[in-house]
Amino acid sequence: MTKLTRVCLTLRACFSTQVRPLASIQNHPPVPVVTCKRQQFNLYQNDLPANPDRIKFGELPLASDGWRHRRSNGDYFIIHPVQRAFEAYGLSERSFTELGIRESLVENLKKQHVLSPTHYQVEGIQAMLDGSHVLLAAETGCGKTYTYLVPVMEHILRRKLHEKQRDFNTPLMLIITPGRELAQQIGTVASKLTEGLGINTRVVLGGRTKQQMLNPSFEDIDILVASFGAISKLITSGIYRMEEVRYVVLDEADTLLDDSFNSKLLHLMKRFPFHKNHLQDLGEDIHGTQMVLAAATMPSNMEELLSKLVNVATIEQVVSPNLHRLMGHVTQRFMRVRKSDRPQILLDLVRKDAKRNVPTIIFSNKTPACDFVSMHLNGHGFPCVNLNGDMMLKLRLGQFEKFQQAEVNIISTTDVASRGLNTIRAAHVINFDFPLYTADYIHRVGRIGRIGSRNDCLATNLVSSQAEIGAVQRLEHAARTTNLLRNVDANVKGIIRRKMMKNIGVPNEGLVAS
């Protein structure tokens, strides 16, 4: 992209997950990178390839190469941490106050145990305060929510000193999320940060849209946080007015920009004068809107998607060097198992976690499997809550909170809980169904190993079908070469559509036109 870019390359030594081989020390035990049941496939740091970027997929022998054979059941390999948890997110020597954040807001941050910004947050906050459109692209759990909330709140507090009275339901900031639980979480964070500051936050969720349209509430709102399905209808009906919005945040932007939301989102975004954002300093009568996009995965066609919203050259990218890398401080275990053996293996894993009181998230690809896991564990005496997108709103709203508040230690869910949710109490992720797409794996494992998480986090992956093995092999290759994960694309509908078009012989040009 031809635009300003803040890539934290100078900080790579501080908080990159790229492996740095240890100096060879006599009588020092070798440091493992990958260990396997078949020890000939073990890899240690002193055996890492010298030029990993030149190694193409398929050129290295992998433990998972033989996993398509039926005799491979029972095989496993483990990707070991290459750094400690506190090294993953390097704290900056600069303080929030030095970045221009007022003391009252800094005090509220301290109440949330946020004492110092990370290197990435410093870069992101500076870009936000500069007023450009910003793309915050960084690994899960590194504090992107604070990165955009803090500077915007600072701007709002400055603006409130001089602004005229706004009408009810006319916010200054709009935050859009793909899911309800994430909207709730961001709303809670925003409310705690603005306590005593005179900034009003409102959260709007789907599932009650008709009721809100028939009996709307009207109040002073500064920050409006909403799931996309709900807010698009409420804006169209005129209940919320957007003419005063100066900041639009698309959280989990890669999901919001995929084929599931794309056309409706683009229609909604036309309401905002993004093109005037850089002209606001020229006069009081010029009102523009700053766009902020936050994402933990960036599809290869991100530039094409963004060009439909704004001039791509005006977007300042703040990109973490850890983006699209395996989490370097989380142990990741891959087990080749029979599909029929998974329920018993899951029971064994959960039983061990229960003895050590380990909060666990279990992911399934579809709702029926998610329901089965919940019933299976509850039936064997392990309390487990169920969360999936097919549940009624009344049932769904409290499920995640039960897990967060430690009422239960196990949650069975689909990818509805894999994006953005701050599950710092979780220490074990189990993929009962292994995800078929790299982006989904990144997001699921990103529920652990976050800022504030415990140090002994573990991801366990049960690999039981032929379709899953290709994704496993790409992950193992990335671990052995310390390379970036390739072809990270969360746009599942787009992937399926392109494959279908390719199968029937439609060229790529036709896809773009469609």
Side-chain angles (χ1 to χ4, degrees):
M1 295 184 188
T2 55
K3 64 185 76 58
L4 294 173
T5 307
R6 294 177 188 238
V7 186
C8 310
L9 295 175
T10 58
L11 308 174
R12 185 179 295 277
C14 298
F15 70 119
S16 172
T17 58
Q18 192 167 17
V19 177
R20 297 182 295 278
L22 299 176
S24 57
I25 303 175
Q26 287 188 353
N27 301 323
H28 191 284
V31 179
V33 176
V34 180
T35 56
C36 313
K37 181 179 181 180
R38 293 172 291 157
Q39 295 185 12
Q40 66 266 33
F41 289 102
N42 287 357
L43 176 70
Y44 300 92
Q45 281 199 13
N46 55 2
D47 297 324
L48 285 168
N51 298 301
D53 293 338
R54 298 182 181 179
I55 301 175
K56 297 179 180 179
F57 179 70
E59 293 182 352
L60 274 182
L62 305 175
S64 55
D65 277 342
W67 281 17
R68 297 189 185 280
H69 197 282
R70 59 184 177 84
R71 291 187 179 179
S72 63
N73 290 314
D75 201 9
Y76 66 84
F77 69 90
I78 300 170
I79 299 174
H80 292 270
V82 295
Q83 60 184 170
R84 289 165 290 186
F86 70 87
E87 295 174 326
Y89 309 108
L91 292 178
S92 172
E93 295 180 358
R94 300 185 64 183
S95 66
F96 286 108
T97 304
E98 290 173 327
L99 293 173
I101 308 302
R102 67 190 60 210
E103 188 62 31
S104 55
L105 189 50
V106 173
E107 286 301 315
N108 282 353
L109 282 164
K110 290 179 180 177
K111 291 177 183 177
Q112 305 309 313
H113 309 291
V114 182
L115 306 180
S116 300
T118 64
H119 291 294
Y120 182 81
Q121 286 173 328
V122 167
E123 295 288 327
I125 289 172
Q126 287 178 323
M128 291 285 301
L129 291 174
D130 289 345
S132 303
H133 300 311
V134 179
L135 171 62
L136 299 172
E139 65 277 14
T140 59
C142 70
K144 290 188 291 295
T145 303
Y146 285 122
T147 304
Y148 66 72
L149 275 180
V150 170
V152 171
M153 287 175 179
E154 176 62 33
H155 273 308
I156 290 176
L157 289 169
R158 295 175 189 175
R159 187 183 293 269
K160 275 179 167 287
L161 296 175
H162 309 289
E163 78 166 353
K164 300 174 183 178
Q165 181 67 35
R166 281 177 285 115
D167 293 335
F168 288 152
N169 286 13
T170 308
L172 286 171
M173 181 185 195
L174 173 65
I175 304 174
I176 300 177
T177 73
R180 299 164 186 170
E181 287 76 20
L182 180 55
Q184 272 189 316
Q185 173 183 290
I186 294 172
T188 300
V189 172
S191 296
K192 290 179 179 179
L193 281 184
T194 57
E195 186 176 338
L197 300 181
I199 295 178
N200 301 313
T201 300
R202 176 75 187 275
V203 178
V204 175
L205 305 177
R208 297 172 180 169
T209 309
K210 289 184 179 179
Q211 180 181 343
Q212 294 178 70
M213 292 172 69
L214 292 172
N215 186 25
S217 61
F218 294 92
E219 57 190 315
D220 283 325
I221 300 174
D222 298 304
I223 299 175
L224 180 61
V225 187
S227 57
F228 175 72
I231 197 59
S232 60
K233 296 174 184 176
L234 294 173
I235 291 174
T236 302
S237 64
I239 293 172
Y240 292 99
R241 299 168 58 184
M242 298 291 107
E243 58 263 28
E244 296 292 336
V245 169
R246 298 294 169 259
Y247 313 94
V248 171
V249 177
L250 302 183
D251 203 307
E252 299 300 325
D254 56 327
T255 302
L256 287 169
L257 290 171
D258 74 16
D259 288 6
S260 302
F261 298 95
N262 196 295
S263 59
K264 293 181 180 179
L265 180 71
L266 293 176
H267 179 73
L268 176 62
M269 291 296 103
K270 290 178 181 178
R271 294 176 174 269
F272 304 105
F274 297 122
H275 62 288
K276 294 183 180 180
N277 183 53
H278 63 293
L279 302 175
Q280 293 185 88
D281 295 336
L282 300 180
E284 294 182 1
D285 296 332
I286 300 177
H287 299 296
T289 300
Q290 181 181 16
M291 170 174 281
V292 182
L293 306 108
T297 52
M298 285 178 60
S300 55
N301 65 334
M302 181 63 99
E303 181 174 356
E304 175 191 342
L305 297 173
L306 294 180
S307 66
K308 299 175 183 178
L309 298 175
V310 294
N311 179 357
V312 176
T314 65
I315 299 175
E316 183 167 0
Q317 293 185 65
V318 185
V319 182
S320 164
N322 293 338
L323 185 70
H324 296 175
R325 290 188 182 276
L326 288 168
M327 297 187 76
H329 55 291
V330 172
T331 303
Q332 299 167 64
R333 176 172 57 185
F334 297 78
M335 304 167 62
R336 183 69 169 101
V337 301
R338 295 185 180 89
K339 193 175 288 287
S340 59
D341 292 338
R342 289 185 304 162
Q344 184 57 51
I345 293 173
L346 180 65
L347 275 180
D348 294 339
L349 293 171
V350 168
R351 189 174 288 113
K352 291 179 182 177
D353 286 346
K355 290 179 180 179
R356 297 185 296 124
N357 198 32
V358 176
T360 303
I361 303 176
I362 304 169
F363 283 103
S364 303
N365 290 344
K366 296 182 179 180
T367 297
C370 177
D371 292 339
F372 166 77
V373 167
S374 177
M375 291 186 291
H376 180 58
L377 294 180
N378 280 301
H380 283 81
F382 298 103
C384 173
V385 293
N386 187 3
L387 175 63
N388 60 73
D390 294 332
M391 297 175 68
M392 293 176 58
L393 180 64
K394 291 181 181 179
L395 296 174
R396 177 174 166 178
L397 280 180
Q399 298 296 81
F400 181 64
E401 279 304 306
K402 289 180 182 178
F403 179 77
Q404 289 288 73
Q405 299 302 322
E407 294 179 30
V408 295
N409 259 358
I410 308 170
I411 184 169
S412 172
T413 185
T414 58
D415 283 309
V416 72
S418 69
R419 278 160 169 76
L421 298 182
N422 190 27
T423 51
I424 59 172
R425 71 178 297 264
H428 191 186
V429 161
I430 300 175
N431 281 316
F432 184 75
D433 289 325
F434 191 80
L436 299 179
Y437 301 99
T438 304
D440 291 333
Y441 182 81
I442 290 173
H443 283 284
R444 288 184 185 185
V445 177
R447 297 315 97 209
I448 54 179
R450 306 172 70 84
I451 293 179
S453 294
R454 50 197 281 177
N455 295 327
D456 57 345
C457 292
L458 169 68
T460 300
N461 303 283
L462 307 184
V463 183
S464 61
S465 76
Q466 294 286 329
E468 300 165 350
I469 294 173
V472 172
Q473 290 175 340
R474 287 190 292 273
L475 294 169
E476 186 184 352
H477 176 84
R480 290 179 179 275
T481 59
T482 69
N483 279 340
L484 293 172
L485 294 166
R486 305 296 179 185
N487 302 318
V488 177
D489 193 347
N491 187 1
V492 176
K493 285 190 175 181
I495 294 170
I496 295 172
R497 189 186 76 245
R498 289 193 292 271
K499 286 183 178 179
M500 291 175 63
M501 291 295 189
K502 183 178 180 181
N503 290 338
I504 63 176
V506 176
N508 290 333
E509 291 81 358
L511 290 180
V512 175
S514 66

